[in-house]
């Protein structure tokens, strides 16, 4: 059977055209599937998916590393218009062929469920529309990537102002916050217009697929078999009941330490325990060298993975002009590597972001190297568990952020970033951030539930502003936004996922509660918690979400009671650490 080779370099992959790929798809379509050739046929299709996935990801990465690179944008659009659109049509026909055969490859039951779901969503009317939506969403990167502010005669990106937002000088914080927020608000009209176009596209995509709204479409597209929209609402209610009061208590303590009458938006990030912002590293090189030792203490394999990525130029971690905002990790399945993208500027949050994306990378490697994955269709895990790997890595690293000499392999000269006092503050800050994130996640997710079930209303940006403000006041009531109501109301403009990855946010919340369980398990048996997590990582997407959680020694929880256990443990740890400062 004709099958494409996966022994291809990056240059060879990017040079492939549809004429090069088409014969392989035609060969699969012209082959009658039988018990005798099922494994070979599915393997040939798997190889094609790997090739096309890597081409797609390399093009996308190129557009984000330099948002002004016209050639990169043109190459990506050419790929979408000439290759991806044809691949989707062939994939649908191949899916139908496999389902019609009624043959079930061993261990491929979940893969078949995913294929049935994808086949049910497919309609040729959406082929070009899905590509258009994908390309249109990248306009957000261009808008946000060009947001700069002049500071002391130099042009600074909005991200580069972040270190000044943790300054102990309140006037300086306010000045920088205003400059950043006002620059972002200047793009209000452009982002509103982009949002309306995306909403109209997404609504048409759902209607073309025969569904009531885009929420229904996205639920199926994301293979959310383990929970429902109603479960999400129960989860958000639990967060409001359990987490919001805990965060308010922490915010009140923060306000008292700052000695201010009211917390303002520019007071939320400053460190009030030490009076000085945490500064984990001075140079990008220092960050990359020291973090190896942290990864090694979690497990030596993780240090080896990171060193390989560093040597192979498989990450782009540091902020610069005309770089897309945010962070992500994408896979190169043919090459056998991931690629990570961030916008670090020297903050503690940047250190945690590198740990986070490291978790995604190590998940890829553990699945690739140790998983019994026969077909690429079984490789990618549910997003909710992919984020457990990332958030779990942040929490497993907390006990290793203190400075000390590296041991065992001697890969790094030193590891860790903080002295003893700073280390306690760093752990407190990380745990506080986790609790504060959960209500914010609820705002982002509930905003999207509303938008995609009320598409006509959501196509009026003023309605979006109102709903966002109401949700913000419900879940994040601790700061006084008087005089800055427009900036609060347009907070949805500053969350890239809403534009680029709709409904990809509840995953962070569910994963965070899962990662907290990994952390709690590690308090009693660190090596055992890491081992259980890695056993689950190796499974990739070959089993469902519930089984992945169970293998990692955790549970998928939507109710108040299990959330209360986690919040109590976090608050107790924060209290104990605070008493030592």
């Amino acid at each position: 059977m004709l099958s494409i080779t996966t022994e291809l370099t990056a240059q060879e992959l990017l040079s492939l055209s549809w004429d090069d790929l088409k014969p392989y798809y035609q060969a699969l379509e012209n082959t009658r599937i039988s018990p005798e050739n099922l494994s070979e046929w599915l393997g040939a299709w798997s190889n094609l998916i790997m090739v096309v996935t890597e081409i797609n990801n390399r093009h996308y990465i190129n557009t984000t590393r330099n948002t002004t690179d016209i050639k990169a944008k043109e190459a990506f659009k050419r790929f979408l218009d000439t290759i991806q659109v044809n691949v989707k049509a062939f994939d649908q026909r191949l899916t139908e062929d496999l389902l019609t055969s009624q043959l079930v490859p061993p261990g491929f039951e979940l893969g078949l469920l995913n294929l049935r779901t994808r086949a049910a969503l497919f309609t040729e009317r959406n082929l070009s529309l899905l590509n258009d939506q994908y390309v249109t969403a990248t306009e957000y990167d261009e808008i946000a990537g060009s947001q700069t502010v002049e500071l002391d005669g130099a042009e600074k990106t909005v991200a580069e102002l972040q270190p000044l937002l943790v300054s102990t000088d309140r006037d300086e914080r306010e000045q920088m916050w205003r400059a950043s927020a006002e620059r972002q608000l200047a793009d209000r009209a452009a982002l509103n217009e982009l949002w309306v176009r995306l909403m109209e596209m997404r609504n048409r995509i759902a209607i073309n697929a025969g569904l009531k709204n885009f929420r229904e479409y996205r639920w199926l597209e994301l293979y959310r078999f383990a929970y429902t929209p109603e479960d999400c609402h129960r989860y958000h209610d639990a967060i409001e009941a359990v987490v919001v009061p805990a965060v308010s208590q922490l915010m009140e303590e923060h306000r008292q330490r700052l000695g201010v009458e009211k917390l303002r938006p520019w007071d939320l990030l400053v460190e009030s325990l030490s009076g000085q912002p945490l500064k984990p590293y001075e140079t990008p090189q220092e960050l990359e060298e020291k973090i190896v030792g942290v990864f090694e203490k979690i497990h030596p394999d993780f240090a080896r993975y990171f060193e390989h990525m560093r040597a192979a130029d498989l990450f782009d971690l540091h902020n610069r002009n005309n770089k897309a905002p945010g962070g992500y990790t994408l896979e190169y399945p043919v090459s056998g590597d991931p690629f990570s993208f961030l916008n670090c500027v020297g903050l503690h949050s940047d250190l945690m972001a590198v740990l986070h994306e490291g978790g995604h990378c190590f998940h890829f490697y553990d699945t690739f190297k140790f998983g019994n994955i026969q077909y690429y269709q079984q490789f990618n895990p549910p997003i909710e568990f992919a984020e457990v790997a990332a958030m779990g890595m942040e929490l497993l690293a907390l006990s290793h952020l203190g400075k000390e000499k590296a041991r065992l392999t001697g890969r790094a000269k030193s590891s860790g970033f903080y002295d003893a006092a700073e280390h306690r503050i760093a752990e407190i800050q990380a745990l506080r951030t986790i609790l504060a994130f959960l209500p914010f996640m609820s705002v982002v997710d509930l905003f999207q539930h509303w938008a995609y079930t009320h598409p006509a209303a959501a196509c009026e940006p003023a309605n979006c502003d109102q709903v966002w403000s109401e949700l913000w006041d419900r879940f994040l009531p601790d700061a006084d936004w008087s005089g800055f109501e427009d900036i609060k109301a347009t907070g949805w403009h500053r969350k890239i996922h809403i534009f680029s990855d709709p409904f990809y946010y509840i995953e962070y919340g569910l994963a965070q509660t899962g990662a907290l369980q990994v952390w709690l398990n590690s308090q009693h048996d660190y090596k055992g918690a890491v081992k259980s997590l890695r056993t689950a990582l190796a499974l990739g997407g070959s089993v469902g979400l519930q089984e992945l959680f169970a293998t990692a020694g955790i549970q998928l929880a939507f109710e108040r009671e299990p959330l209360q256990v986690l919040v109590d443990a976090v608050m107790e740890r924060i209290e104990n650490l605070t008493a030592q400062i």
Side-chain angles (χ1 to χ4, degrees), residues 218-235:
R218 192 67 167 144
W219 221 264
L220 293 170
E221 187 181 34
L222 291 171
Y223 305 136
R224 287 181 175 166
F225 306 128
Y227 58 96
T228 66
E230 291 71 31
D231 290 326
C232 293
H233 283 283
R234 285 192 296 116
Y235 181 52

Side-chain angles (χ1 to χ4, degrees), residues 292 295-296 299-310 362 365 409 411 534:
V292 175
F295 286 137
E296 183 170 345
H299 197 284
D301 284 347
F302 297 157
R304 285 190 283 270
Y305 294 157
F306 188 83
E307 285 189 316
H308 164 73
M309 291 185 68
R310 189 180 184 206
F362 306 157
Y365 282 125
T409 65
R411 252 184 224 95
R534 293 193 72 192

Side-chain angles (χ1 to χ4, degrees), residues 390-416:
M391 294 173 168
M393 193 63 56
E394 294 180 54
L395 285 162
L396 289 169
L398 285 183
S399 59
H400 305 309
L401 298 182
K403 293 177 180 177
E404 62 179 88
K405 296 298 179 183
R407 303 176 207 158
L408 300 178
T409 65
R411 252 184 224 95
K413 293 180 181 178
S414 63
S415 68

Side-chain angles (χ1 to χ4, degrees), residues 422-550:
E422 291 171 334
H423 189 184
R424 295 186 193 100
I425 291 169
E427 186 172 351
I428 291 169
Q429 193 174 112
L431 294 173
R432 280 196 320 230
T433 299
I434 287 170
L435 290 186
F437 166 76
L438 288 171
F440 176 74
M441 178 279 305
S442 290
V443 174
V444 176
D445 188 57
L446 286 170
F447 173 82
Q448 294 182 96
H449 279 275
W450 168 80
Y452 293 117
T453 56
H454 299 81
C459 280
E460 294 291 338
N463 294 333
C464 297
D465 293 349
Q466 179 180 345
V467 170
W468 181 271
S469 293
E470 291 170 354
L471 289 168
W472 192 274
D473 291 341
R474 174 184 167 191
F475 284 93
L476 298 158
D478 301 300
D480 177 9
W481 287 76
S482 299
F484 302 101
E485 287 81 3
D486 279 356
I487 294 172
K488 178 177 75 172
T490 54
W492 58 280
H493 284 176
R494 297 184 289 280
K495 179 41 61 183
I496 185 173
H497 300 71
I498 291 174
F499 288 82
S500 301
D501 237 333
F503 268 122
Y504 179 25
Y505 219 70
I506 185 68
E507 291 85 354
Y508 290 118
L510 297 175
Q512 191 67 82
T513 54
L516 282 170
Q517 293 173 67
V518 172
W519 170 75
L520 202 55
N521 292 342
S522 76
Q523 305 299 299
H524 309 292
D525 180 5
Y526 190 90
K527 289 185 177 179
V530 173
K531 182 178 180 181
S532 294
L533 179 61
R534 293 193 72 192
T535 300
L537 299 184
L539 293 172
S542 62
V543 300
L545 183 60
Q546 299 278 14
E547 186 172 343
L548 286 167
F549 267 61

